[in-house]
């Protein structure tokens, strides 16, 4: 398996075998027979241009030098900056959500006002104006995405989930992606497509967090060095987590739901300190959005006022429920699970076909497809209401605050669409000729019995469900939260109508069943439980319905899991994002680490390598990590660490470390690099070997890799269960693991008490509490084997 022989090493530790601990069924796309075990996840999924992140601390010489030079004020400054960035992420995401909501609401208001004014004189001219308005908005969205920010297409949640799982997809967190996401969402949602803006808001919050974490965008000269302190993927991961929670909090005005969404749905690592910052960020978002709502209530926000800030208050609706209603509510959960699983499967098939055949034909085809779907959506939403007869306005309570029909260009129930009399409304137009937020508010509304007919709800359900399936996957920013709520609330209200008719009870509200239907479809499609339950309670302001929401979510998720995975997991797999689930597969318990890398060949580099050899290895291999070996005193091979491909490219481009001698360099040349020199900007492609140009003389020089490698990578014995390796890899956020033969000697043991450190007030030195380790420090344990070149803790076995 090893290139260059399988020489033994002292104490029975053989040459390290480096392996990417991948799923046993994963295939390396495009990999030849010399595929290295040093390959990271991006080699297995090269078609998706993804790369694993380095959540592990690379403790090379540059890192240790930087740690030693930090002053005592660095830690307080570091903590203060984290909280400051949490504040800025909340403010930025809240302002982005306000801008998107106001733009969508005002575009929709202008569109509906003009349409309703024109159809009084000419139906066809009104249809033409309505269609052109939608087409212009959708065209602007797809043009921005295809020509400026390709990574802004879709919801972005699968890519962000992959990033927080340890996989970086190129372009997802760039400044142009942020701009494309904001303006593209305005066009796609304002253009009337069966999409939502809530998923893109999660991506928007993540982009804002990432840009703040790396000090801005160097590409557009919007950067500042004084905040460029979060240079590790670990710190950026925490900031992106705050951004995801802020996006949900801004989208639904649900700060607690945002925290739980980040915890349940997108993150793979969670700490109590991170919980506090995420909670603080979501609270800031809630304050910013609430302030904007108060400002909009004064009439300064245009047509719809505060209508675009999602909250569907049904606190004045059904206050109690009977046990007889539990059965129809469970039926809603079953329907949600079936329709959600079907939605996932249909979108998977259509998106796969679209990516395989359609989108490969170029940008023009993508633009044409989005515009065609816009024309079809506009035609359906304009023509279908004509098939329904207008109904007379019902007798409403004087204090209900509901007007029939409501004035054109404002949000509300009872839309008068091409009706012959003033006091009539079209129930199907009430759903179609409103923004999705207001349509859901109408479906959730209480005290509006018989507002919708069963035929209208069934017609809308079939058409909107079909449009949502076809539209999802086009080259525009697209969220699936609100469309899913619309689909679920439609069949939920339909079930509620039958329950009201069957039980003949006055305290049953159709809007309550619409809410439960919305929760059931989201549970059946996205498979969220706790976070979705809290979000639904927060956006409806009705805590009494919490047990019912929990019931339908549990039922719908159980039914959906029987057929397929959740929407984001399916889409991530389609995009080639290698997500590591929380649990290893059962087959891994019958495999060991050696089985996972038995067909792989390790590509090693000597400590002092010729530049031409390094260039040759980088050109002929796609691997992102290489073991570094050295010769011991007796001539045997010793593995001294792991060096990353990105670090090699930095050294080759700098050229300052080249030397004429084939012997290790002295300590005087190790201060030529800072730790920040090796940091790769988030979501960028980084350096490429093709961008580095070397002369013939430079190719003949040597490079000592010892100061720049990771001297203490994680190591597992070759007979360790692959399930244990999987858990170690995922829980620590690793990128590479060495697989070695089982050692023949134990240098020491570390137990829990050895990791409890005390601060000595006089020397400020940490003292280990274990007597065995203290003896080892004095060189009196294990026959004086404590005089090791590497740090002591790197040579001990953790118990």
């Amino acid at each position: 398996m090893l290139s260059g022989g399988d020489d033994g090493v002292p104490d029975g530790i053989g040459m390290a075998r480096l392996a990417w601990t991948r799923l046993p069924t994963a295939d390396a796309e495009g990999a030849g027979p010399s595929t290295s075990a040093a390959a990271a996840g991006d080699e297995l999924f090269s078609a998706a241009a993804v790369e694993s992140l380095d959540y592990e601390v690379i403790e090379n010489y540059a890192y240790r030098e930087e740690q030693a030079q930090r002053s005592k004020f660095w830690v307080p400054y570091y903590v203060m900056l984290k909280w400051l960035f949490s504040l800025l992420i909340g403010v930025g995401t809240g302002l982005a959500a306000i801008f998107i909501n106001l733009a969508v609401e005002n575009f929709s208001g202008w569109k509906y006002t003009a349409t309703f004014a024109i159809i009084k004189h000419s139906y066809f001219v009104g249809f033409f104006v309505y269609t052109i308005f939608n087409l212009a908005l959708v065209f602007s969205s797809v043009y921005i995405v295809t020509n400026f920010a390709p990574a802004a297409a879709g919801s972005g949640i699968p890519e962000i989930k992959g990033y927080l799982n340890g996989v970086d997809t190129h372009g997802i967190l760039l400044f142009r992606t942020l701009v494309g996401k904001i303006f593209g969402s305005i066009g796609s949602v304002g253009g009337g497509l069966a999409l939502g803006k809530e998923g893109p808001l999660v991506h928007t919050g993540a982009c804002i967090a990432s840009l703040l974490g790396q000090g801005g965008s160097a590409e557009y000269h919007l950067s500042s060095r004084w905040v460029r302190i979060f240079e590790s993927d670990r710190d950026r991961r925490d900031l992106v987590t705050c951004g995801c929670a802020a996006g949900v909090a801004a989208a639904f005005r649900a700060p607690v739901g945002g925290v739980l969404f980040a915890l349940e749905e997108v993150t793979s690592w969670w700490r109590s300190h991170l919980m506090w910052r995420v909670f603080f960020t979501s609270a800031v978002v809630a304050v910013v959005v609430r302030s904007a709502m108060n400002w909009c209530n004064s009439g300064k926000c245009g047509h719809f006022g505060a209508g675009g800030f999602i909250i569907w208050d049904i606190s004045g609706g059904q206050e109690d429920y009977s046990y007889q209603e539990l059965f129809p509510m469970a039926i809603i959960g079953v329907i949600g699970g079936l329709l959600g699983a079907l939605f996932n499967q249909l979108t998977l098939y259509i998106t796969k076909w679209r990516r395989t055949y359609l989108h490969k034909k170029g940008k023009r085809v993508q633009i044409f497809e989005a515009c065609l779907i816009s024309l079809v959506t506009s035609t359906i939403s304009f023509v279908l209401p004509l098939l329904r007869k207008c109904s007379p306005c019902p007798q409403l309570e004087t204090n209900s605050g509901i007007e029939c029909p409501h004035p054109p260009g404002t949000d509300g129930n009872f839309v008068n669409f091409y009706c012959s009399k003033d006091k009539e409304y079209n129930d199907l137009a009430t759903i179609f000729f409103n923004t999705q937020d207001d349509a859901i508010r109408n479906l959730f509304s209480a005290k509006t019995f018989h507002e919708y007919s069963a035929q209208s709800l069934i017609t809308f359900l079939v058409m909107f469900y079909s449009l949502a399936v076809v539209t999802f996957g086009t080259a525009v920013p697209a969220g699936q939260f609100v469309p899913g709520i619309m689909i679920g609330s439609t069949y939920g209200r339909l079930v509620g109508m039958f329950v009201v008719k069957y039980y003949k009870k006055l305290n049953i509200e159709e809007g309550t069943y619409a809410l439960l239907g919305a929760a059931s479809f989201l549970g059946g499609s996205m498979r969220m439980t706790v976070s979705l339950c809290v979000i639904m309670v927060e956006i409806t302001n009705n805590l009494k319905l919490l047990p019912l929401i929990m019931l339908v979510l549990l039922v719908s998720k159980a039914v959906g899991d029987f057929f397929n995975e959740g929407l984001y997991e399916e889409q991530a797999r389609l995009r080639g994002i290698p997500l590591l689930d929380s649990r290893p597969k059962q087959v891994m318990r019958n495999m060991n680490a050696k089985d996972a890398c038995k067909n792989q060949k390790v590509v090693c580099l000597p400590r002092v390598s010729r530049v031409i050899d390094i260039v040759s290895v980088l050109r002929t291999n796609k691997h992102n990590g290489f073991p570094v070996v050295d010769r011991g005193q007796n001539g045997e091979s010793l593995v001294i660490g792991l060096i990353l491909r990105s670090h090699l490219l930095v050294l080759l481009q700098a050229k300052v470390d080249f030397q004429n001698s084939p012997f290790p360099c002295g300590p005087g040349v190790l201060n030529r690099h800072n730790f920040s020199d090796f940091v790769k900007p988030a979501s960028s492609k980084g350096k490429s070997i093709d961008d580095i140009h070397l002369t013939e003389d430079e190719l003949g020089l040597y490079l000592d890799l010892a100061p720049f490698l990771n001297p203490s990578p994680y190591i597992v014995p070759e007979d360790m269960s692959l399930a244990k390796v999987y858990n170690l890899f995922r829980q620590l956020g690793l990128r590479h693991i060495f697989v070695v033969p089982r050692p023949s000697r134990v240098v020491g043991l570390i137990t829990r008490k050895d990791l409890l450190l005390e601060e000595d007030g006089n020397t400020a030195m940490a003292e280990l509490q274990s007597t065995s380790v203290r003896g080892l420090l004095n060189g009196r344990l294990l026959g004086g084997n404590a005089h090791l070149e590497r740090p002591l803790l790197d040579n001990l076995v953790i118990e």
Side-chain angles (χ1 to χ4, degrees):
M1 289 179 59
L2 297 176
S3 58
D6 193 4
D7 301 326
V9 256
D11 301 331
I13 303 179
M15 175 69 74
R17 297 166 182 171
L18 183 62
W20 163 248
T21 55
R22 54 190 171 90
L23 296 177
T25 57
D27 298 323
E29 297 184 10
S34 61
T35 301
S36 168
D42 48 324
E43 298 154 86
L44 299 177
F45 298 85
S46 56
V50 298
E51 181 178 350
S52 295
L53 295 167
D54 292 311
Y55 289 156
E56 181 185 1
V57 177
I58 308 299
E59 297 177 339
N60 55 20
Y61 182 84
Y63 172 80
R64 293 176 179 177
E65 278 288 301
E66 184 175 291
Q67 292 289 319
Q69 293 174 3
R70 288 174 177 172
S71 66
K72 60 181 180 180
F73 300 106
W74 187 88
V75 173
Y77 173 70
Y78 175 78
V79 174
M80 179 197 68
L81 209 57
K82 275 192 171 184
W83 284 97
L84 175 62
F85 277 19
S86 299
L87 172 66
L88 295 178
I89 291 169
V91 173
T93 307
L95 293 177
I98 293 168
F99 176 73
I100 293 174
N101 275 286
L102 292 185
V104 169
E105 295 295 316
N106 280 282
F107 277 128
S108 300
W110 296 331
K111 175 178 63 179
Y112 292 136
T113 300
T115 301
F116 281 105
I118 293 174
I119 62 175
K120 293 180 179 179
H121 307 284
S122 174
Y123 175 82
F124 293 102
V125 176
F127 170 70
F128 178 78
V129 171
Y130 177 79
T131 304
I132 292 300
F133 209 112
N134 284 337
L135 186 62
L137 288 173
V138 172
F139 176 80
S140 67
S141 175
V142 68
Y143 186 84
I144 290 173
V145 170
T146 55
N147 291 277
F148 180 68
S155 70
I157 293 181
E159 289 83 359
I160 299 302
K161 186 172 183 177
Y163 183 89
L164 296 178
N165 192 260
V167 181
D168 189 10
T169 306
H170 171 64
I172 62 170
L173 297 175
L174 300 182
F175 178 74
R176 66 172 179 267
T177 303
L178 172 63
V179 175
K181 209 73 177 182
I182 293 175
F183 289 96
S185 298
I186 294 173
S188 61
V189 179
L193 294 180
L195 302 170
K197 56 184 178 293
E198 289 66 33
L201 267 176
V202 176
H203 194 178
T204 299
C207 289
I208 293 174
S210 177
L211 291 171
L212 285 173
Q214 61 186 12
S217 174
E219 180 180 359
Y220 297 97
H221 306 289
L222 300 173
S223 60
S224 176
R225 294 193 61 86
W226 73 274
V227 295
R228 202 174 301 166
I229 189 174
F230 302 108
E231 295 178 330
S232 69
D233 291 330
R234 185 188 301 261
D235 289 333
R236 293 175 182 172
R237 175 190 69 193
D238 293 347
L239 292 176
V240 170
T241 303
C242 292
C244 291
V248 174
F252 295 103
R253 284 172 52 193
V256 180
V259 176
L260 294 176
F261 175 82
L263 172 61
E264 178 185 7
E265 185 62 23
V266 294
T267 59
S268 299
W269 298 277
W270 195 263
R271 304 190 308 277
S272 58
H273 295 293
L274 179 60
M275 169 77 82
W276 279 106
R277 289 197 300 274
V278 171
F279 186 77
F280 173 71
T281 304
S282 299
V284 171
V285 172
V287 172
V288 172
V289 173
R290 173 62 65 178
S291 302
M293 287 185 60
N294 294 333
W295 182 64
C296 288
N297 286 332
S298 61
K300 299 178 181 179
C301 293
H303 281 273
F304 282 169
F309 297 103
I310 294 181
I311 185 167
W312 303 301
D313 193 343
I314 59 172
S315 56
Q318 183 173 340
E319 297 182 355
D320 196 9
Y321 53 89
S322 64
Y323 291 105
Q324 293 175 321
E325 297 179 64
L326 294 181
F327 178 73
M329 291 175 181
I331 294 297
I332 289 180
V334 174
I335 296 174
L338 294 175
L339 291 181
L342 179 62
F343 182 87
N344 293 355
Q345 205 64 35
L346 291 177
T347 53
L348 181 66
Y349 289 149
I350 293 178
T351 305
K352 186 181 298 184
W353 173 83
R354 180 182 279 127
R355 291 166 63 92
T356 304
Y357 300 103
L358 202 61
H359 287 179
K360 286 186 177 181
K361 296 182 179 180
K363 301 176 181 178
R364 293 184 178 180
V365 175
Q366 298 180 32
I367 295 175
F368 176 78
E369 177 200 19
C371 293
L372 179 62
I373 292 177
S374 174
L375 290 174
V376 173
T377 303
S378 300
T379 302
I380 290 176
S381 61
F382 208 92
V383 173
L384 280 183
L386 293 178
L387 304 179
R388 294 293 305 163
K389 294 181 179 180
C390 292
S391 305
C393 289
Q395 295 294 329
L396 300 172
E397 298 178 5
T398 56
N399 59 350
S400 63
I402 300 176
E403 185 178 359
C404 180
H406 75 77
T410 60
D411 62 304
N413 303 69
F414 307 109
V415 173
N416 185 320
F417 180 76
Y418 216 60
C419 296
S420 58
K421 298 180 180 179
D422 292 337
K423 287 297 182 179
E424 289 184 338
Y425 75 99
N426 189 309
D427 59 347
L428 197 54
T430 301
I431 309 177
F432 274 119
F433 279 86
N434 267 308
T435 61
Q436 294 179 6
D437 300 345
D438 296 320
I440 294 170
R441 188 176 291 109
N442 296 342
L443 290 168
F444 282 179
S445 61
K447 313 301 181 185
T448 54
F449 289 104
H450 311 299
E451 178 181 0
Y452 304 98
S453 65
Q455 295 88 344
S456 295
L457 290 178
I458 294 174
T459 302
F460 177 79
L461 174 63
V462 173
M463 298 310 301
F464 192 83
Y465 189 94
S466 303
L467 289 174
V469 169
V470 174
T471 309
F472 189 81
T474 53
V476 294
Q480 206 51 43
F481 274 102
V482 168
I485 293 176
M486 285 198 68
I487 294 171
S489 59
T490 303
Y491 68 74
R493 185 152 187 137
L494 191 62
V495 173
M497 293 171 58
F498 288 107
V499 173
V500 171
K501 183 177 180 180
Y502 179 76
Y503 287 110
K504 294 182 171 54
K505 294 179 61 177
L506 297 179
N507 63 336
I508 296 179
E509 288 286 351
E510 298 172 3
T512 300
Y513 285 82
L515 166 66
L516 298 179
S520 70
F521 185 82
L522 293 180
S525 176
M526 300 179 183
R527 312 294 160 78
M528 296 186 297
T529 52
V530 179
S531 58
L532 182 58
C533 184
V534 173
I535 289 173
M536 298 303 293
V537 170
E538 287 187 282
I539 63 180
T540 56
N541 194 25
N542 195 332
L543 191 60
K544 295 179 181 179
L545 300 179
L546 179 61
L548 305 181
I549 297 175
M550 295 173 63
L551 170 65
V552 296
L553 281 176
L554 291 173
V555 174
S556 62
K557 185 181 186 303
V559 173
D561 286 338
F562 182 78
F563 295 99
N564 51 31
E565 290 185 311
L567 177 66
Y568 299 136
E569 288 76 11
E570 295 280 3
Q571 293 297 320
R573 180 181 294 107
L574 180 63
R575 287 166 169 78
I577 301 174
L579 292 179
L580 293 181
D581 296 331
S582 58
R583 293 182 178 180
K585 295 187 180 300
Q586 185 64 32
V587 67
M588 292 185 177
R589 303 192 182 279
N590 301 322
M591 303 175 62
N592 54 39
K594 186 177 181 180
D595 295 333
C597 56
K598 60 184 178 181
N599 296 325
Q600 298 173 343
K601 183 178 181 180
V602 176
V603 178
C604 301
L605 292 172
R607 171 180 174 173
V608 182
S609 302
R610 294 182 64 192
V611 174
I612 190 173
D613 295 334
I614 298 176
V615 172
S616 176
V617 168
L618 295 179
R619 288 189 182 278
T620 56
N621 296 275
K622 299 294 185 180
H623 315 323
N624 284 299
F626 302 92
V628 179
V629 297
D630 196 10
R631 292 292 176 181
Q633 298 179 353
N634 300 325
E636 70 278 2
S637 296
L638 294 174
V639 179
I640 62 174
L642 170 76
I643 190 162
L644 297 177
R645 181 187 190 91
S646 59
H647 290 190
L648 289 174
L649 293 174
V650 170
L651 298 175
L652 292 177
Q653 188 176 53
K655 304 179 183 180
V656 296
D657 299 287
F658 294 171
Q659 61 186 41
N660 295 316
S661 171
F663 300 103
C665 62
V669 299
L670 299 180
N671 56 357
R672 295 169 178 167
H673 295 278
N674 296 321
F675 183 72
S676 58
D677 296 339
F678 301 99
V679 175
K680 182 180 78 72
S683 294
S684 70
K685 291 182 178 179
K687 296 180 175 62
S688 171
I689 186 62
D690 298 327
D691 301 329
I692 297 176
H693 305 285
L694 301 170
T695 64
E696 291 294 333
D697 294 337
E698 291 170 339
L699 290 173
L701 299 178
Y702 294 87
L703 181 61
D704 187 0
L705 305 178
F708 314 106
L709 54 79
N710 181 8
S712 53
Y714 285 88
I715 297 175
V716 298
E718 61 182 356
D719 56 352
M720 175 182 283
S721 166
L722 189 58
K724 295 179 66 175
V725 177
Y726 183 99
N727 291 328
L728 176 70
F729 198 98
R730 187 185 186 277
Q731 293 173 10
L732 295 180
L734 303 181
R735 188 176 186 180
H736 305 91
I737 289 183
F738 279 172
V739 180
V740 300
R742 179 162 292 279
S744 60
R745 290 197 343 170
V746 177
V747 180
L749 284 172
I750 286 185
T751 60
R752 180 184 297 268
K753 60 182 179 181
D754 300 318
L755 301 177
L756 301 176
L757 305 179
E758 284 187 358
E759 293 290 338
D760 190 337
N762 297 326
T763 61
M765 296 293 290
E767 179 183 5
L768 293 176
Q769 297 301 302
S770 170
T771 55
S772 63
V773 175
R774 190 179 299 115
L776 184 60
L777 284 170
N778 296 329
R780 295 191 297 269
L781 189 63
L782 299 177
N785 280 314
H787 56 284
L788 301 172
E789 295 182 2
R790 300 185 188 178
L792 174 64
L793 295 181
D794 292 340
N795 292 274
L796 300 183
V797 179
I798 295 182
E799 185 179 55

